[in-house]
Amino acid sequence: FYIIVILAKTTKIPYNYPMTSRKNYHVSIVIPAYNEESGIVAFHNTLLMPELEKHLPNRYEVIYVNDGSTDDTLKKLTNLASNNPRVKVINLSRNFGKEIATTAGISKSTGDAVIIIDADGQHPPKIMTQFIDKWLAGAQVVVGVRKSNQKEGVIKKVGSKLFYRLMNSISDSQTIPRSTDYRLIDKHVRDEFLKFTERDRITRGLIDWLGFRREYIEFDAPARIAGEASYTVSKLTKLAVNSFTTLSLRPLFIFSYIGAFITLVSLIVGIFILIEQFILGDPLALNFTGAALLGIFVSFLIGIVLIAQGIMSIYLSHIHTQAQNRPLFVIDSTSSVNLDKDIK
Ligand code: UDP
Ligand code: MG
């Protein structure tokens, strides 16, 4: 009896999760790569370090997605694949961007858990074992969170702060600041993720939207092994705009609020001028000119136009959500009760 108690105390049984699904587990590692020829082999060598091999006692696969690189990345990847049957390469026909490349890799993954990691060494593979531990303990999504990165430029730093502030204030799902694409998702989350059909996508935004039990792991982001980040400020801006517009509809309505404000103000001022100058005969001696009157009238009309646009936005937003065609809901788990048995 005591042996059983001691065993029960020392073995961690994942809460609320059937043990069998985490036995003999199989992990997929998905890596998008675009023009990484100078660092990819070094990265690969740090990826398959002995710690990880020990931690993945059963099966694992490494899926590289070559996102239309124009350099020798593909050649290096196929070389890696021919030396190791666990390494697989998906070669996209052209550059589709990281988000799509990642999705392509996830769609071909077969593991019980999928880890997404950058190919440039900025996501230390060392902590992958911690991701797996959290998953084994019951987390369905494990998110890598960057500790503040000193090497970043001022624009990127301020920009990212502003981004998260805005993002969390306008969207329904919440994003932790500095959370990255370095993530582990359970196969159940993967299956739900693959149901998304929208084209303009931000992988981490969609994973955040899905919910599920999540855990966070902080890490220090080192500099790239080699090459330059292909995300320039303009590309990042595009990414941010995409995040706002795919995860929130509020930007659509901003202008109707502005319109309503302009209309209201010009209406009040217009009525004031009308009464003060034309009905009461200008007792305050303000002497409004015709140009002033015209100005107020024009801004009143501009306000009306903006409101009309806002109303159109409401219809547009319905079309937008319908076109995104997201699942209505996402089920984590179900439990059925045998009613017949209960009645007896
Ligand atoms: N990447 C990609 N397609 C692209 C741009 C980047 O697959 O069009 C990959 C790149 O090879 C790397 C990861 O996405 O593995 C992150 O890219 P990068 O380091 O340029 O961006 P940042 O670190 O600024 O997020
Ligand atoms: Mg990088």
Side-chain angles (χ1 to χ4, degrees), residues 84-95:
N84 186 344
R86 286 173 154 169
V87 177
K88 299 164 184 178
V89 178
I90 297 172
N91 183 33
L92 298 184
S93 59
R94 65 168 170 88
N95 179 252

Side-chain angles (χ1 to χ4, degrees), residues 141-172:
V141 177
V142 187
V143 182
V145 179
R146 221 165 5 96
K147 289 183 191 158
S148 54
N149 193 345
Q150 272 80 38
K151 291 231 167 66
E152 273 179 342
V154 183
I155 298 178
K156 259 196 177 179
K157 235 180 189 169
V158 174
S160 105
K161 224 181 208 159
L162 208 72
F163 170 77
Y164 287 110
R165 184 73 57 83
L166 263 173
M167 195 66 215
N168 281 334
S169 64
I170 65 172
S171 93
D172 299 330

Side-chain angles (χ1 to χ4, degrees), residues 36 98 118-123 156 222-224 228-231:
E36 302 281 3
K98 182 187 177 182
D118 277 2
D120 58 2
Q122 291 196 296
H123 295 166
K156 259 196 177 179
R224 276 179 147 268
E228 291 250 321
S230 45
Y231 277 117

Side-chain angles (χ1 to χ4, degrees), residues 38-323:
S38 40
I40 196 82
V41 176
F43 166 80
H44 186 76
N45 291 336
T46 60
L47 181 72
L48 297 183
M49 48 188 179
E51 290 105 298
L52 189 68
E53 297 253 357
K54 243 187 266 159
H55 218 80
L56 300 172
N58 303 300
R59 293 175 300 148
Y60 68 88
E61 60 180 358
V62 179
I63 303 176
Y64 283 103
V65 183
N66 176 40
D67 185 16
S69 302
T70 51
D71 61 3
D72 269 345
T73 305
L74 178 64
K75 215 163 134 197
K76 302 220 157 143
L77 288 179
T78 17
N79 217 348
L80 291 176
S82 60
N83 290 330
N84 186 344
R86 286 173 154 169
V87 177
K88 299 164 184 178
V89 178
I90 297 172
N91 183 33
L92 298 184
S93 59
R94 65 168 170 88
N95 179 252
F96 283 89
K98 182 187 177 182
E99 311 300 326
I100 304 287
T102 309
T103 307
I106 294 172
S107 76
K108 300 291 178 203
S109 66
T110 55
D112 300 305
V114 183
I115 297 176
I116 307 153
I117 182 171
D118 277 2
D120 58 2
Q122 291 196 296
H123 295 166
K126 222 179 194 154
I127 62 167
M128 230 182 250
T129 52
Q130 294 176 38
F131 279 70
I132 294 166
D133 282 338
K134 293 259 189 207
W135 171 67
L136 288 172
Q140 292 159 301
V141 177
V142 187
V143 182
V145 179
R146 221 165 5 96
K147 289 183 191 158
S148 54
N149 193 345
Q150 272 80 38
K151 291 231 167 66
E152 273 179 342
V154 183
I155 298 178
K156 259 196 177 179
K157 235 180 189 169
V158 174
S160 105
K161 224 181 208 159
L162 208 72
F163 170 77
Y164 287 110
R165 184 73 57 83
L166 263 173
M167 195 66 215
N168 281 334
S169 64
I170 65 172
S171 93
D172 299 330
S173 51
Q174 293 292 300
T175 313
I176 288 237
R178 294 192 306 281
S179 61
T180 63
D181 282 326
Y182 191 8
R183 284 165 187 228
L184 177 150
I185 57 176
D186 184 74
K187 68 163 181 250
H188 182 34
V189 181
R190 188 241 341 259
D191 294 345
E192 293 297 334
F193 176 82
L194 291 175
K195 288 182 190 164
F196 288 121
T197 56
E198 58 205 81
R199 301 179 154 268
D200 290 322
R201 53 173 57 214
I202 307 296
T203 307
R204 61 188 120 118
L206 292 180
I207 294 174
D208 286 340
W209 187 89
L210 281 172
F212 288 105
R213 278 191 302 278
R214 44 187 54 234
E215 287 283 347
Y216 300 89
I217 288 176
E218 278 212 325
F219 69 90
D220 269 317
R224 276 179 147 268
I225 294 178
E228 291 250 321
S230 45
Y231 277 117
T232 52
V233 171
S234 81
K235 235 182 170 181
L236 276 176
T237 313
K238 198 177 152 208
L239 195 75
V241 170
N242 248 343
S243 299
F244 292 145
T245 50
T246 56
L247 284 169
S248 169
L249 290 168
R250 249 159 261 180
L252 261 185
F253 302 118
I254 290 172
F255 287 98
S256 53
Y257 293 135
I258 295 174
F261 178 74
I262 292 176
T263 308
L264 200 72
V265 170
S266 46
L267 193 70
I268 291 168
V269 176
I271 288 174
F272 172 76
I273 293 178
L274 224 70
I275 294 174
E276 202 270 344
Q277 185 143 328
F278 296 102
I279 298 179
L280 303 177
D282 204 7
L284 302 173
L286 293 172
N287 253 328
F288 291 108
T289 58
L293 267 177
L294 194 66
I296 293 295
F297 187 59
V298 168
S299 54
F300 175 75
L301 287 184
I302 289 174
I304 299 267
V305 170
L306 285 178
I307 289 174
Q309 228 173 48
I311 291 170
M312 225 145 78
S313 303
I314 296 172
Y315 289 96
L316 194 64
S317 73
H318 292 312
I319 298 172
H320 176 88
T321 23
Q322 192 67 42

Side-chain angles (χ1 to χ4, degrees), residues 9-37:
K9 276 189 175 165
T10 49
T11 39
K12 270 195 212 141
I13 297 167
Y15 174 68
N16 201 10
Y17 219 97
M19 275 297 267
T20 48
S21 71
R22 302 280 161 103
K23 247 193 205 164
N24 293 321
Y25 58 85
H26 169 28
V27 173
S28 300
I29 301 169
V30 170
I31 309 151
Y34 172 62
N35 289 353
E36 302 281 3
E37 63 169 0

